[in-house]
Amino acid sequence: MGRGYLMFSLARLKIYAIGAAVFIAALLKLRHDAVSKALYKMQADQAEKRIDAMRAAKEIEDEIEVLDDSGLADRASKWVREGRSE
């Protein structure tokens, strides 16, 4: 084993090390992209649920607003007897 062979082996090891580093970096990038996508989807789903809840609350508020006193009393009485699950 001469000095030339040792230099060739070190060069080869450097190439393998660079290749391994690039491969690991690519895997980390793929993982980061997947996590970011999942987080974005989760946030979008939560925003959609909040919007749906706000719409439902607004519909109930509008229903109550148009009721007269007797209708409001009937609805409140029913709500107290049966609970909020309508």
Side-chain angles (χ1 to χ4, degrees):
M1 285 195 184
R3 189 169 197 185
Y5 181 75
L6 183 61
M7 294 298 268
F8 179 71
S9 294
L10 287 177
R12 204 175 227 183
L13 283 176
K14 286 180 185 177
I15 290 173
Y16 289 147
I18 290 171
V22 168
F23 181 74
I24 290 171
L27 287 178
L28 290 174
K29 173 71 171 138
L30 287 173
R31 182 181 180 279
H32 177 267
D33 290 347
V35 169
S36 295
K37 185 177 179 181
L39 181 63
Y40 177 79
K41 183 174 179 354
M42 184 178 65
Q43 289 173 341
D45 290 345
Q46 287 176 347
E48 186 66 33
K49 287 178 184 177
R50 281 194 305 267
I51 290 170
D52 290 343
M54 288 171 57
R55 283 186 184 138
K58 180 67 176 158
E59 287 176 8
I60 292 170
E61 186 178 316
D62 290 345
E63 286 177 20
I64 291 173
E65 208 169 281
V66 297
L67 290 176
D68 58 356
D69 289 342
S70 64
L72 186 58
D74 290 341
R75 186 177 172 119
S77 175
K78 182 179 178 185
W79 182 76
V80 169
R81 282 193 315 267
E82 297 176 7
R84 290 177 32 184
S85 61
E86 188 175 285

